[in-house]
Amino acid sequence: MRIAAAVVSLPLLAGLAACGEIQEAQEGLQQANQQLQGAQQSLDTAQACLQAINAANFVPNFADPQKAQADAQAKVTEIQQLADRTADETLKQNLLDVQESVQQVADGQIDIEASAEWTSAQLDKYQAVTTTCSRLAG
C-alpha cells in the first residue's frame, strides 16, 4: 500500500516541482522586463537631454537681425516640441526658460547692442539644462 501511495504521489511531486520552476522562470522574466524598461527610460532621458542641451546651446548671429529672428523662431518651435515631450518637470521648466529667452530674439527685442547681456543670460539657462541632465544621468 505504501508503495502504491509513493508511486501515485511521485507525479504529483514532480508536477509541483515543475510549477515552482515555471514560477521562478516567470519571476526572472518579470525582472528582465523591468530592467529593459529601466534601460529604455534611461535611453529616453539621455536622448531628451542631448536634444535639450543642443537646443539650449542656441546663440543666433546678431549681426544679421533678420536671420537671427528667423533662426530664433525656428528654435522656439523646436524647444516647445521638446518641452512637450519631456517627462522630467525640472528639465521641462529649464527648456521653457530657454524658450522664453529665445522668443525675445524671435520678437526682435534683442539687437546686437543687447546681445552680450542676452548671451550671458542664455549661458546661465544652458547651464541649468546641463545641470539638470547631469542629475538625471545620476
Side-chain angles (χ1 to χ4, degrees):
M1 187 73 145
R2 288 184 184 176
I3 293 175
V7 169
V8 170
S9 65
L10 273 177
L12 180 61
L13 292 174
L16 289 175
C19 285
E21 289 174 11
I22 290 171
Q23 185 175 1
E24 285 179 29
Q26 286 176 331
E27 288 172 2
L29 286 173
Q30 286 175 336
Q31 288 176 345
N33 188 37
Q34 288 171 346
Q35 289 173 345
L36 282 174
Q37 287 175 348
Q40 182 63 44
Q41 287 174 344
S42 294
L43 181 59
D44 291 345
T45 299
Q47 287 175 335
C49 276
L50 180 60
Q51 291 172 344
I53 289 168
N54 286 335
N57 194 30
F58 175 75
V59 178
N61 178 3
F62 288 104
D64 185 346
Q66 289 179 338
K67 184 165 178 18
Q69 283 182 273
D71 291 349
Q73 189 56 56
K75 190 58 70 172
V76 164
T77 302
E78 176 188 337
I79 293 169
Q80 181 62 56
Q81 291 171 350
L82 183 56
D84 289 345
R85 294 189 319 261
T86 300
D88 183 81
E89 288 302 316
T90 302
L91 183 57
K92 180 181 267 186
Q93 186 57 54
N94 292 155
L95 285 167
L96 293 175
D97 290 346
V98 170
Q99 180 190 21
E100 183 180 325
S101 177
V102 174
Q103 186 67 54
Q104 292 176 326
V105 177
D107 292 343
Q109 297 174 9
I110 308 299
D111 58 14
I112 198 159
E113 288 82 27
S115 65
E117 186 178 329
W118 180 88
T119 301
S120 177
Q122 190 70 1
L123 181 59
D124 291 342
K125 291 171 180 35
Y126 171 81
Q127 190 64 41
V129 169
T130 59
T131 299
T132 298
C133 284
S134 293
R135 179 186 54 79
L136 291 174

